[in-house]
Amino acid sequence: MRVLVVTAVAAERDAVAAAAGPCDEVALPGGYALRRAAGVPVACDVLAAGVGPAAAAAGTATALTAATLAGAPYDLVVSAGIGGGFSPGPGARPEGSPSGAPLGSVVVADAIVAADLGAETPDGFTPVTELGFGTVAHLPDPALVKAVAAAAGAAAGTVVTVSTVTGSAARAAELAERHPGVLAEAMEGFGVAEAAAAHGVPVLEVRTISNAVGPRDRAAWRIGPALTALTGAFRTLPGALSAAAGPAPEPPPRSASPTRGTPTSPRRTP
């Protein structure tokens, strides 16, 4: 299996690559550079594509196109990095799971949602889909989400993508109300998912929580521990993907034709 992991910045890329082992650097068009680790059974390429959904989409599309043209397409794309965690609150997901993600925790998205793609109206925010355009959500394969979350000790839930990081309690409350049970906020997942969907490749999003969503308090951020948690989460990824894929198919039955080393009847002579 070939996996492309897309982060925003180099520190996140390096945290993921640390889990993959020794890496080579591979140049891509557009000035991008991959960190490549040839693992068995999972080979992992890690790309720092830039901050925000547009940069993430552009970098992901470049890597996917290059891989396809090289005859080695990817089987999975993962948006990864640190992010903000919503505080636990009264909102809950339909199945009853509590909302919120504490500092240092790991989140695997079961829904990758563009939270600010739409229009402001006198009645509030309207998603772009209600205007008759595009999409605002990508839903990763539930079995894959379950396997990866279980292996990493992660919570599974909605991760919203924003172009402007939340900086107030009012905005955090608004997002939590619009997306019941939301766990985390980041800036790249939806862009990565859009590019993956355009190429027909499955997508995941994995985030480790470095700060609380709300008023910006840099003194309370825990970026170092979140990066360490990111490395730990990706160490579990190969096993989780192998488990989700199930056992390898049985080899076909051997041919009944005589082969080298198979006894044959002696040849008659006159």
Side-chain angles (χ1 to χ4, degrees):
M1 171 179 276
R2 298 195 70 234
V3 178
L4 172 65
V5 182
V6 183
T7 71
V9 298
E12 296 166 323
R13 176 201 63 199
D14 294 346
V16 173
C23 294
D24 297 323
E25 188 163 296
V26 179
L28 294 179
Y32 297 104
L34 287 171
R35 296 287 175 86
R36 172 164 292 167
V40 178
V42 177
C44 186
D45 289 352
V46 192
L47 172 68
V51 175
T60 303
T62 298
L64 289 171
T65 300
T68 299
L69 292 176
Y74 292 105
D75 302 295
L76 176 68
V77 180
V78 184
S79 176
I82 62 177
F86 284 84
S87 299
R93 296 172 57 77
E95 63 270 25
S97 300
S99 61
L103 297 185
S105 65
V106 183
V107 172
V108 178
D110 64 7
I112 303 169
V113 179
D116 52 11
L117 182 59
E120 290 290 344
T121 74
D123 297 322
F125 179 79
T126 299
V128 71
T129 47
E130 294 185 18
L131 302 175
F133 303 104
T135 185
V136 294
H138 291 277
L139 305 179
D141 175 23
L144 195 54
V145 169
K146 183 178 180 180
V148 171
T158 298
V159 177
V160 293
T161 300
V162 295
S163 295
T164 302
V165 172
T166 298
S168 69
R171 174 63 170 164
E174 178 190 347
L175 288 173
E177 182 179 358
R178 288 213 321 256
H179 305 284
V182 62
L183 295 182
E185 170 188 277
M187 298 183 73
E188 293 78 33
F190 186 78
V192 173
E194 282 281 274
H199 283 257
V201 182
V203 69
L204 286 174
E205 183 169 8
V206 178
R207 294 284 166 181
T208 53
I209 304 304
S210 60
N211 58 277
V213 176
R216 291 171 66 79
D217 178 7
R218 295 179 68 92
W221 294 0
R222 297 293 181 265
I223 292 176
L227 291 172
T228 299
L230 191 63
T231 301
F234 272 85
R235 285 198 176 108
T236 70
L237 185 67
L241 295 180
S242 298
E250 292 290 331
R254 298 182 62 180
S255 170
S257 302
T259 59
R260 187 174 180 179
T262 302
T264 58
S265 300
R267 183 177 178 181
R268 285 180 175 273
T269 56

